Amino acid sequence: VTLPSSEKVDLNGADAATLQKQLAGVGETKAKAIVAYRDANGPFASVDELLEVKGIGKAILDRNRDKLEVN
């Protein structure tokens, strides 16, 4: 399933279910970790800050970078 290019995932707005569904290599555990990180540290300042989340590495970030945004 390819998303239209305008269909970006907002790291600061998406819930765990959305993150899990839309991001390659992100399952339930990582999706929940992203939400937990956001809850603990506040909104993401940039897409690159995703690397601070436990379990998210450069490979996952690079695979998903073009469909991520921070609002």
Side-chain angles (χ1 to χ4, degrees), residues 1-69:
V1 178
T2 51
L3 298 171
S5 55
S6 61
E7 194 74 26
K8 296 238 183 196
V9 177
D10 178 14
L11 279 177
N12 292 324
D15 61 13
T18 302
L19 293 167
Q20 180 180 348
K21 192 171 89 189
Q22 303 288 2
L23 302 183
V26 175
E28 185 179 5
T29 304
K30 288 180 181 148
K32 286 182 175 167
I34 293 168
V35 173
Y37 179 90
R38 189 171 70 204
D39 289 345
N41 299 284
F44 286 91
S46 71
V47 171
D48 288 298
E49 193 180 337
L50 195 57
L51 292 172
E52 302 294 320
V53 179
K54 184 174 175 6
I56 306 287
K58 190 167 176 353
I60 290 177
L61 177 60
D62 288 346
R63 281 167 70 190
N64 293 292
R65 181 182 296 278
D66 59 347
K67 60 183 153 198
L68 291 170
E69 65 183 2

